[in-house]
């Protein structure tokens, strides 16, 4: 495992963000698959926005979006080691521009999109997985990591992305997660 996860938590909190680490769970009902076209009836992710769980068979194309994205598909991006950054509709007007600049600086493995329900916050989501813990009893599936920030703090966003990008349960080399690729 790279770096100190508590360092990310401290950095995020110092920037005014909340930070959660939750046990990743597919929460697959009996008889269901982890790749689904739509969520099973009554299914709820264990974080909002989601950081792990059942998901669509196809990822979202890596990139930056002007419209909200399908959460069920973004979870597949997280599984491949991506970071999904979303922002609410009540943030100041320059936030989308600053997020766009942040994205363009190092876009591989990132999805950036609006999510109006976030209001005045920015979310950063990742699904991490420690291969050394795979042998643990109880079905280890990784950790979901979610930061919710009230403003754009480039240092905090960079710390989160640098620590968690490329660490998903089915990681791809970050250079393979280039914009425009599925």
């Amino acid at each position: 495992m790279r770096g100190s996860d508590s360092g990310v938590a401290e950095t995020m909190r110092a920037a005014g963000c909340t930070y959660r680490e939750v046990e990743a769970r597919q929460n697959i009902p009996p008889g269901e698959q982890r790749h689904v076209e739509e969520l099973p009836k009554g299914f709820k992710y264990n974080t909002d926005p989601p950081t792990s769980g059942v998901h669509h068979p196809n990822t979202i194309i890596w990139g930056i979006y002007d419209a909200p994205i399908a959460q069920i598909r973004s979870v597949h991006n997280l599984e491949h080691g991506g970071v999904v950054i979303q922002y609410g509709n009540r943030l100041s007007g320059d936030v989308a521009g600053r997020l766009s600049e942040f994205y363009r600086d190092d876009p591989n493995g990132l999805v950036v999109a609006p999510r109006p329900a976030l209001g005045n916050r920015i979310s950063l989501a990742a699904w991490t997985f420690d291969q050394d813990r795979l042998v643990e009893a109880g079905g280890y599936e990784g950790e979901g990591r979610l930061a919710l920030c009230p403003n754009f703090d480039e240092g905090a966003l960079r710390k989160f992305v640098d620590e968690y990008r490329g660490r998903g349960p089915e990681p791809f080399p970050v250079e393979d997660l280039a914009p425009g690729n599925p």
Side-chain angles (χ1 to χ4, degrees), residues 25-46:
R25 285 282 176 226
Q26 297 277 342
N27 294 330
I28 303 171
E32 297 285 341
Q33 301 292 315
R34 73 180 178 150
H35 289 139
V36 296
E37 295 291 329
E38 59 185 46
L39 293 176
K41 185 175 172 95
F43 179 86
K44 291 195 182 232
Y45 288 109
N46 62 358

Side-chain angles (χ1 to χ4, degrees), residues 67-105:
I69 57 174
Q71 301 302 299
I72 189 173
R73 289 185 64 189
S74 72
V75 174
H76 202 152
N77 293 68
L78 298 173
E79 184 182 42
H80 288 185
V83 172
V84 176
I85 302 171
Q86 298 179 84
Y87 56 94
N89 62 352
R90 292 194 322 242
L91 288 165
S92 67
D94 73 328
V95 171
R98 294 178 76 191
L99 282 169
S100 181
E101 289 174 22
F102 177 83
Y103 167 82
R104 283 193 307 270
D105 183 51

Side-chain angles (χ1 to χ4, degrees), residues 126-149:
W127 183 354
T128 60
F129 191 86
D130 181 356
Q131 289 290 334
D132 294 336
R133 292 185 58 195
L134 188 57
V135 297
E136 290 182 12
Y140 173 74
E141 296 183 39
E143 297 80 34
R145 303 185 187 265
L146 180 64
L148 295 171
C149 302

